[in-house]
Amino acid sequence: MPLNEVDFVSPIDVLAAVTGFFGGRIGLDPASSDNANRLVQADKYFCPKHQGLKQIWKADSVYLYPPRDRLTGIEQPPDRSLWTKKKRFAKSAQRVWMEEMLRKYTLGEFKEGLLFLTSTDVALLSAQKIGLDLPICIMKEHPKIRHDDKEFNKVNTNKIYGFLYYFPAPENTEKRILEFSDLFSILGRVYI
């Protein structure tokens, strides 16, 4: 995946909630950078050169804020359906990463995860198309994302919305969903 000239880092309030929800540690951030991980502080992370879409996401907890660009057919993971299309079209990177996170969760590569999206189309329409029926927090305020630069400068975000999907843990599922609801209701409205 090529490096975008402008990339973004998660809002600090979202990272604080995610880190607290995971007991003080984020196990894996599969779409990060050396600089962004200074803020995220995941135990393990993949930079663009590691091609996180192609890695195994072995971790107890995964936090993912996918890039906000488009991926060509070559940059996307291989189509795993029985009948593959000959030509693959460019897709939103957030959609590709969301689909891959769902696949890896289904395969049991990680125990629980949080997916932060800033594309309304992906968070609501694409998620519905692929059957992503998981607890979601729709943020009540525009997320304060930051540039992936040394100073983490703020980005003017008055035109985007924030969505957090929770991929529940296999143990104590109901309890963890209620904890997600309680904690993330501070950031927005939670739907279970």
Side-chain angles (χ1 to χ4, degrees):
M1 174 166 85
L3 266 173
N4 219 355
E5 283 189 34
V6 178
D7 210 355
F8 304 110
V9 180
S10 300
I12 293 170
D13 56 344
V14 170
L15 288 174
V18 168
T19 303
F21 182 69
F22 286 147
R25 306 183 75 132
I26 295 171
L28 173 66
D29 180 354
S32 192
S33 70
D34 293 329
N35 189 55
N37 199 56
R38 290 183 19 237
L39 206 57
V40 177
Q41 297 184 351
D43 293 340
K44 184 177 178 182
Y45 63 97
F46 299 130
C47 294
K49 66 182 175 189
H50 299 125
Q51 298 182 353
L53 284 169
K54 297 179 181 178
Q55 300 293 329
I56 294 173
W57 296 6
K58 184 85 172 132
D60 286 337
S61 60
V62 169
Y63 171 69
L64 172 61
Y65 174 30
R68 291 180 45 92
D69 53 359
R70 296 188 69 72
L71 297 178
T72 65
I74 294 170
E75 295 170 316
Q76 298 171 31
D79 192 346
R80 290 170 182 82
S81 62
L82 184 59
W83 310 103
T84 58
K85 298 175 186 171
K86 290 183 179 180
K87 186 170 183 177
R88 299 179 72 203
F89 297 95
K91 280 188 192 175
S92 158
Q94 289 203 351
R95 177 177 178 167
V96 172
W97 281 90
M98 176 184 64
E99 290 171 349
E100 192 64 9
M101 186 168 186
L102 178 59
R103 189 183 80 76
K104 289 177 178 298
Y105 174 71
T106 305
L107 291 172
E109 287 189 20
F110 61 92
K111 290 185 181 174
E112 66 181 335
L114 285 163
L115 170 64
F116 176 63
L117 297 170
T118 52
S119 167
T120 305
D121 285 346
V122 172
L124 301 177
L125 301 176
S126 297
Q128 196 172 39
K129 281 183 185 177
I130 67 167
L132 191 68
D133 189 19
L134 297 171
I136 184 175
C137 171
I138 300 175
M139 294 180 69
K140 60 185 168 191
E141 295 179 12
H142 296 286
K144 294 170 180 64
I145 59 176
R146 299 175 175 275
H147 284 283
D148 188 359
D149 57 25
K150 290 187 181 194
E151 294 82 31
F152 299 114
N153 292 307
K154 290 182 183 176
V155 176
N156 181 6
T157 58
N158 61 356
K159 294 187 181 188
I160 65 168
Y161 296 94
F163 306 87
L164 281 150
Y165 275 101
Y166 174 51
F167 291 71
E171 306 91 25
N172 301 315
T173 305
E174 281 186 42
K175 179 180 180 239
R176 288 299 282 161
I177 289 173
L178 290 175
E179 289 171 355
F180 169 78
S181 179
D182 289 345
L183 178 61
F184 287 91
S185 63
I186 295 166
L187 295 177
R189 168 135 310 150
V190 176
Y191 297 91
I192 298 176

